[in-house]
Amino acid sequence: MMKLPLPRNPVSLVGVLLTTLGAVLFLIFFLADAFGLHSNPYMGIVFFIVLPSIFVLGLLLIPIGSWLHRRRLAAGKPDVWPKIDFNNPRHRNIAAMAFGLTVVNIMIVSMAAYAGVEVMDSTAFCGTVCHEVMQPQHEAFKAGAHARVGCVGCHIGPGASWFVKSKLSGTRQVFAVAFNTHERPIPSPVKNLRPARETCEQCHWPEKFHGDKVRVFREYAADEKNTVTETTLQMHIGGGQSANRPVTGIHWHTSLATEIEYITTDAKRQVIPWVRLKDRDGNVREYTAEGVTAADLAKGERRRMDCVDCHNRPGHPFASTAEKAVDAALASGDLPLSLPFVRREAVAAVKGTYPNQQTATDAIAAKVREFYKTQQPQVYMTRRPEVERAVVSVLAIYSRNVFPAMNVTFGTYPNNIGHMDFPGCFRCHDDSHKAKDGRVISQTCDACHGIQ
Ligand code: HEC
Ligand code: HEC
Ligand code: HEC
Ligand code: HEC
Ligand code: HEC
């Protein structure tokens, strides 16, 4: 029988033990995972990142150990290694076994690397591993238009280089979370976000944008009937990229033929005192806001405008105000419109300040029920299911917009589409950004939308 060729120096021996341990645990876990026996993303980190690291560390220790050992030999210590002789069947067996093990090792490492990448790319990893920190974005994401796209669709995009970049900056963030030094809320904008051209445009082809889109905004009153007011806007979406078709409307800014750069002087990119436009014919025009000095501009951040300068909340939209959130729930039917005063009561309930989500949940549910019980006893007696539906809906509005632990609430994150709750389009379109020839970036309502 063949003896196992254990190394005769302690460092390599530790290496062999670590590698074996790592490999066995990893294989067990890999099979469990393949059969769907776990679902916790923390386990994913332990097994697909920590175990393979132990495995690779062990593999590295083996040659390091024998190198140290050979150095000792060179220093005149006695040789404990056998001379390799391929005429000796035992040596041939050992060589074959070493070769076989190396192949198996390579397979394990590739499997681990693949599984590790998959775990780190999953929405569960982004959204729940740093649970409290990313909870606001994760909750909003699940309710948004991109819930099936995954965090990495926008935050990393295709190709290996951004994956590596994001994992490097992610490592720093993991430390910030571990040592609790991260900011609350997580600041926006993301300074080193990948250009939208390489992410959004995987799915949205700007050359296909055209024409108008009709949007109906519904606002409800704080009266008994929750009276609705409708505003219909005909949004001039526009678009087009090609050289022989006019590029028009809102998406003109990001057509290939147009190049807009701007300087912003605040951390949230809400103040934009300087804009430079290079049009499709190469003409350049610079617009400057009133009263701005060259010194202000020199301190600012300069940036080429892309999709996220308007669509800065596509993946995880939060409502700008409690009123907007409640109006959206009424418009979609989540919140029963027929309940008297439901708009007023819902807004009051979600606007309260509570120390944490758990306290809020209990207090909000009690508040809504209490109102109907004492002020509308008839409704409370006869239409209990509607009242309970309202409770569920109001709780959902709160828990997906307000996160006391992260200091996130309605309006914490500005939304740059529009101009009602945040400056948005009017950061530039305010009739006072002037070029040398007197031309301004216009605030004419009709340029952007028809109003009915
Ligand atoms: C449809 C694209 C998209 C998806 C999907 C997406 N994000 Fe974002 N996210 C963005 C953009 C764009 C910004 C940057 C906004 C800015 O720079 O103004 C951002 C910013 C952030 C920020 C910084 C704080 C903030 O809210 O602005 C965090 C944290 C974040 N995303 C986490 C996530 C997580 C976690 C997921 C998945 C659960 C996710 N994102 C999915 C587009 C997306
Ligand atoms: C992997 C594909 C994918 C990527 C990447 C992606 N989107 Fe989307 N986006 C979609 C799909 C699919 C929808 C339609 C969802 C629906 O109709 O509910 C959508 C809808 C939208 C909408 C309209 C719906 C709404 O109410 O928000 C906007 C605006 C939008 N995306 C902007 C962006 C921006 C900006 C980016 C880059 C930061 C981006 N998307 C990245 C697939 C993607
Ligand atoms: C100047 C601001 C601005 C820029 C830049 C911009 N968009 Fe938009 N986009 C808008 C507005 C405004 C709307 C209409 C929003 C609404 O529904 O009220 C819109 C609508 C959309 C829609 C929905 C279209 C539909 O018919 O439902 C998608 C998708 C979209 N944009 C993607 C993009 C992508 C991708 C980019 C970058 C190539 C981009 N946008 C650049 C302002 C902008
Ligand atoms: C960074 C500055 C900036 C922001 C922010 C901005 N725009 Fe503009 N926009 C411009 C400039 C510059 C022009 C060209 C002005 C001119 O005609 O001299 C322009 C032109 C337009 C036009 C006319 C395009 C055409 O057909 O010629 C529309 C429509 C428009 N913007 C819509 C919007 C909307 C909607 C938003 C907000 C979602 C927005 N813009 C935000 C800089 C901006
Ligand atoms: C530079 C482009 C632009 C100009 C100029 C502009 N708007 Fe708007 N407006 C928008 C966009 C984009 C939205 C859509 C916001 C959204 O999707 O939530 C909007 C939304 C609105 C809404 C509905 C908002 C809500 O939240 O209920 C009203 C009302 C409105 N605009 C009125 C006006 C009036 C009046 C003017 C002229 C003084 C004007 N707008 C000028 C881009 C513009």
Side-chain angles (χ1 to χ4, degrees), residues 100-112:
L101 280 177
T102 305
V103 171
V104 171
N105 285 344
I106 290 173
M107 273 166 58
I108 291 180
V109 171
S110 342
M111 237 151 71

Side-chain angles (χ1 to χ4, degrees), residues 267-286:
K268 292 191 169 185
R269 295 191 189 138
Q270 294 299 292
V271 182
I272 299 185
W274 180 88
V275 181
R276 176 181 186 272
L277 160 67
K278 191 165 141 205
D279 70 16
R280 62 197 301 168
D281 304 318
N283 304 317
V284 173
R285 190 184 282 125
E286 290 181 9

